[in-house]
Amino acid sequence: MREVRLSLFGFGNVGRALARVLVGKGSIFRERYGLEFKVVSIADTSAVVWLPEGIDLREALMVKENFGMLSSWTNEYEVYSFTPEEAVREIDADVVIDVTNDKNAHTWHLAALRDGKAVATSNKPPLAFHYAELMREAERRDLPYLFEATVMAGTPIITLLREGLKGDTVEMIEAVLNATTTFILSRMESGLDFEGALKEAQALGIAERDPSGDVLGIDAGYKATILHCLAFHPVTFNDAHVKGIVEVTPEDVKRARERGRTLRLVAMVEDGNVRVEPREVPLDGPLAVESHENAAVIKTDLLGELVIKGAGAGLKETASGVVSDIIKAALKV
Amino acid sequence: MREVRLSLFGFGNVGRALARVLVGKGSIFRERYGLEFKVVSIADTSAVVWLPEGIDLREALMVKENFGMLSSWTNEYEVYSFTPEEAVREIDADVVIDVTNDKNAHTWHLAALRDGKAVATSNKPPLAFHYAELMREAERRDLPYLFEATVMAGTPIITLLREGLKGDTVEMIEAVLNATTTFILSRMESGLDFEGALKEAQALGIAERDPSGDVLGIDAGYKATILHCLAFHPVTFNDAHVKGIVEVTPEDVKRARERGRTLRLVAMVEDGNVRVEPREVPLDGPLAVESHENAAVIKTDLLGELVIKGAGAGLKETASGVVSDIIKAALKV
């Protein structure tokens, strides 16, 4: 049995789902991989809890769920007010896990790598803006830098592109990568206008209070940028052409239906070209996904067309990708 | 640049497709991975050609295509009549590649591993009957034993199960894994009976002269057995329940259609249970594949339902899987 020390940043919905998987499947991971995970720190926006002997995750979940923030924790645990960069430097760990939304997280991802720590992240902006720099640092230090959950939640499109197509040359990827816009466009097919469909999505917790990241296509644009970096060469989100769904009218939706098609926010990724925009897709084709499903069609020189389809959102679905990365990192470090 | 010596067994359609990829994409593999592949031996059923300095693949392709067998090669190359086991022992190589149909190939796969050589294979029976023994030997010697092309050609379902779902627990796999039966069942929908559809498949070169491997469900059964070994625990083909499509009548096919369904040869893989049989699948579902497409629906505890769909047959599509394995093996050895 090998003990692997985890330093967890982010204890919102995804962070807690991850903690629940680590608690619930701990014995399976011990048996399957000979790995014993010990969470030595948990950070939310209020504080960093740090205990080198390992934090009781059940207690951490209880505190967070009852009091809303880790700074309220007042038993034997040490509570600190580190910045993430300070925390990365101070806390001894094997794998740093980022499930935050911190747009500047690349700074402490780099700090973690320079400090000899592997990184597993579901946080997109670091990859969408600093892919080349992060991968260079990881390669130089021969450390895992893993990000399965940044695209299509735990549906393993990243592993597929990184490990599954070594001999193929990717020619194009077309994908539906954002579930919130799929929900809104589906509801517009039932007659709602954009505003009405958005309000319903917000009421159901599918869209956020500030929905701009989803409806302006930024989230899909981040993901498409990451796919381009993997399939072709590093670019940044600034190179992407992104158009959201805010200008889609009920008439557009109706017209698509009349042609046996449906509107989806589609990402198109070709060598040197990242484009996200609402497009009509055939109703019986792979991109006519529903609900929280995402899909990608990958075209390559040898294989032709390959489709991968699965959950693109959800808490345990996202935790699936993060925990897969943690296990991979742990098996290497 | 690192030189990697390959010893190729099998120079039929797949072996030659592989040779063409190695010739055509050699410069890409040098640039992308820093790997220079040198084929030091090629074996067909007639002979083994062995040249430690590296065989000219273009010339080998020409000889095979013009004379039908390698034993006709009469220039500076040395032509031997080794058995595969002797060849594996005699010939210095880093990766042994098996693209034969040799049912007893596990013996020389094991010999290769014991001799410190990695193995990449598209040959199913060794896996379907000796998975546990082969993996044990590979793990003991820390050598890659890779078999992407055994299931769904190069569509990377093996990589996905081995590398992409580390944190998930697979609950069930349902899949269409044999393209010949899909062709026959599709043609029966157009009114042909089984015999007529089979003859057409044979005339088009889709079914073999002895079609029993496909139509009795043996090929799909081998593949389903391999998926069980990966997703659950090692079993052998002898544990599988396999029923082919020879008893399917035009009436069965018609009845399915009337219900908005279609008949496919479906593999169902659950913990301790491998079952292959003709089943009705919904026309708008992921298993209603056409032509040479295969599809698998993988159900897991965290991700829910995941679909992977792509080529399940074809020469360069199969070569894709083998070459991906060769690159992975080369990067490790």
Side-chain angles (χ1 to χ4, degrees):
Chain A
M1 198 61 57
R2 204 156 53 80
E3 199 176 80
V4 178
R5 296 161 305 166
L6 309 179
S7 182
L8 175 60
F9 293 81
F11 209 43
N13 289 325
V14 172
R16 296 204 302 283
L18 174 63
R20 269 181 227 108
V21 172
L22 291 175
V23 170
K25 301 191 74 170
S27 65
I28 291 176
F29 300 152
R30 278 193 291 275
E31 196 198 330
R32 210 190 274 174
Y33 304 110
L35 295 173
E36 171 87 49
F37 292 117
K38 187 168 84 174
V39 176
V40 294
S41 73
I42 306 178
D44 69 2
T45 47
S46 76
V48 181
V49 183
W50 177 19
L51 192 72
E53 297 76 45
I55 294 170
D56 181 336
L57 288 178
R58 281 192 192 79
E59 204 180 336
L61 285 164
M62 243 168 50
V63 169
K64 180 74 179 179
E65 270 148 27
N66 288 317
F67 301 106
M69 42 188 171
L70 290 172
S71 59
S72 323
W73 212 344
T74 53
N75 59 1
E76 80 269 27
Y77 289 104
E78 300 283 352
V79 175
Y80 298 84
S81 57
F82 293 137
T83 67
E85 245 177 297
E86 289 166 342
V88 159
R89 291 226 178 81
E90 284 295 323
I91 297 167
D92 266 341
D94 303 299
V95 186
V96 166
I97 302 159
D98 176 7
V99 289
T100 72
N101 299 315
D102 182 355
K103 284 207 162 59
N104 295 309
H106 66 285
T107 56
W108 48 277
H109 291 189
L110 286 168
L113 292 168
R114 289 186 187 125
D115 219 36
K117 290 157 182 152
V119 176
T121 180
S122 64
N123 185 13
K124 293 173 274 289
L127 278 297
F129 290 98
H130 306 278
Y131 185 92
E133 192 182 356
L134 287 160
M135 294 311 290
R136 202 163 45 229
E137 197 64 40
E139 272 163 33
R140 182 184 302 159
R141 300 178 190 267
D142 198 22
L143 282 168
Y145 182 83
L146 303 171
F147 48 92
E148 186 61 74
T150 56
V151 186
M152 292 178 80
T155 302
I157 186 169
I158 304 289
T159 298
L160 196 153
L161 286 170
R162 270 185 144 179
E163 301 295 326
L165 301 169
K166 294 274 185 200
D168 279 64
T169 303
V170 175
E171 291 165 353
M172 175 157 76
I173 304 173
E174 282 185 296
V176 175
L177 301 172
N178 178 276
T180 306
T181 51
T182 296
F183 177 87
I184 292 172
L185 292 168
S186 296
R187 293 302 290 138
M188 287 177 74
E189 291 189 344
S190 318
L192 292 180
D193 64 4
F194 173 75
E195 292 300 332
L198 172 59
K199 278 209 183 96
E200 195 179 311
Q202 287 173 315
L204 291 166
I206 292 168
E208 290 171 64
R209 231 174 329 162
D210 173 5
S212 52
D214 290 320
V215 299
L216 297 179
I218 297 168
D219 174 76
Y222 285 164
K223 292 166 175 171
T225 302
I226 295 170
L227 293 185
H228 187 284
C229 293
L230 274 171
F232 300 105
H233 53 84
V235 291
T236 79
F237 178 71
N238 301 322
D239 305 311
H241 304 273
V242 172
K243 192 182 161 197
I245 63 162
V246 292
E247 288 165 27
V248 174
T249 64
E251 288 67 44
D252 296 332
V253 174
K254 216 187 337 186
R255 216 174 309 121
R257 268 286 163 170
E258 284 163 9
R259 286 194 276 247
R261 296 170 154 260
T262 181
L263 270 172
R264 289 291 178 267
L265 185 65
V266 176
M268 213 184 59
V269 181
E270 291 174 307
D271 194 351
N273 187 15
V274 177
R275 189 170 293 276
V276 173
E277 61 195 7
R279 271 174 48 199
E280 295 185 8
V281 299
L283 271 172
D284 57 356
L287 295 183
V289 290
E290 295 290 345
S291 173
H292 75 313
E293 202 174 51
N294 281 188
V297 180
I298 303 168
K299 288 181 190 155
T300 79
D301 58 341
L302 302 177
L303 269 183
E305 214 171 281
L306 165 67
V307 177
I308 180 166
K309 204 166 168 176
L315 301 183
K316 68 184 189 343
E317 292 85 350
T318 305
S320 157
V322 180
V323 89
S324 180
D325 283 348
I326 294 172
I327 292 166
K328 279 189 200 176
L331 291 172
K332 272 203 196 160
V333 293
Chain B
M1 198 62 55
R2 204 154 54 77
E3 198 177 78
V4 178
R5 295 162 305 166
L6 309 179
S7 182
L8 174 61
F9 292 81
F11 208 44
N13 289 325
V14 173
R16 295 203 303 280
L18 174 63
R20 268 180 228 111
V21 172
L22 291 175
V23 170
K25 301 191 74 169
S27 64
I28 291 176
F29 299 152
R30 277 192 291 275
E31 194 198 334
R32 211 191 274 173
Y33 304 111
L35 294 173
E36 170 87 50
F37 292 116
K38 187 167 83 173
V39 176
V40 294
S41 73
I42 306 178
D44 69 1
T45 48
S46 76
V48 181
V49 182
W50 175 20
L51 192 73
E53 297 75 45
I55 295 170
D56 181 336
L57 287 179
R58 282 192 192 81
E59 203 181 336
L61 285 163
M62 244 168 49
V63 169
K64 180 74 179 180
E65 270 148 27
N66 287 317
F67 302 106
M69 42 188 175
L70 290 173
S71 59
S72 323
W73 211 344
T74 52
N75 58 1
E76 80 268 29
Y77 289 106
E78 299 285 352
V79 176
Y80 298 84
S81 58
F82 292 138
T83 67
E85 242 176 299
E86 289 165 342
V88 159
R89 291 226 178 80
E90 285 295 324
I91 298 167
D92 265 340
D94 303 300
V95 186
V96 166
I97 302 160
D98 175 9
V99 290
T100 72
N101 298 314
D102 181 355
K103 285 208 161 59
N104 295 310
H106 67 284
T107 56
W108 47 278
H109 290 190
L110 287 168
L113 292 169
R114 287 186 189 124
D115 220 35
K117 291 158 182 151
V119 176
T121 179
S122 65
N123 185 13
K124 294 173 273 288
L127 279 297
F129 290 98
H130 306 278
Y131 185 91
E133 192 182 356
L134 288 160
M135 293 311 289
R136 201 162 47 229
E137 197 63 39
E139 272 163 32
R140 181 185 303 158
R141 297 177 193 268
D142 197 23
L143 282 167
Y145 182 83
L146 303 171
F147 47 92
E148 185 62 73
T150 56
V151 186
M152 292 177 79
T155 302
I157 186 170
I158 304 290
T159 298
L160 196 153
L161 286 170
R162 269 185 144 177
E163 300 297 326
L165 301 169
K166 294 272 184 201
D168 279 65
T169 303
V170 175
E171 291 165 353
M172 174 157 77
I173 303 173
E174 282 185 296
V176 175
L177 301 173
N178 178 276
T180 306
T181 51
T182 296
F183 177 87
I184 292 172
L185 292 168
S186 296
R187 293 300 291 137
M188 288 177 74
E189 290 188 345
S190 318
L192 292 180
D193 65 3
F194 172 75
E195 292 299 332
L198 172 58
K199 279 209 185 94
E200 195 179 309
Q202 286 172 316
L204 290 167
I206 292 168
E208 291 170 65
R209 230 173 330 159
D210 173 3
S212 53
D214 290 320
V215 300
L216 297 179
I218 297 168
D219 173 75
Y222 285 164
K223 293 166 174 170
T225 302
I226 295 170
L227 293 185
H228 187 285
C229 293
L230 275 172
F232 300 106
H233 53 83
V235 291
T236 80
F237 178 71
N238 301 321
D239 305 312
H241 305 273
V242 172
K243 194 182 160 195
I245 62 162
V246 291
E247 287 165 28
V248 173
T249 65
E251 288 68 44
D252 295 334
V253 174
K254 215 197 293 170
R255 216 174 307 122
R257 270 285 163 169
E258 284 163 9
R259 286 193 277 246
R261 296 170 154 259
T262 181
L263 270 172
R264 289 292 177 266
L265 184 64
V266 176
M268 213 183 59
V269 180
E270 291 174 307
D271 194 351
N273 188 15
V274 177
R275 191 170 291 276
V276 172
E277 61 195 7
R279 271 173 49 199
E280 293 184 9
V281 300
L283 270 172
D284 58 355
L287 296 183
V289 289
E290 295 291 345
S291 171
H292 74 314
E293 202 174 51
N294 281 187
V297 181
I298 303 168
K299 288 181 189 154
T300 79
D301 58 342
L302 301 178
L303 269 184
E305 215 172 279
L306 166 67
V307 177
I308 180 165
K309 205 166 167 176
L315 300 183
K316 68 183 191 338
E317 293 85 348
T318 305
S320 156
V322 180
V323 91
S324 179
D325 283 349
I326 294 171
I327 292 166
K328 278 188 202 179
L331 292 172
K332 271 201 194 159
V333 292

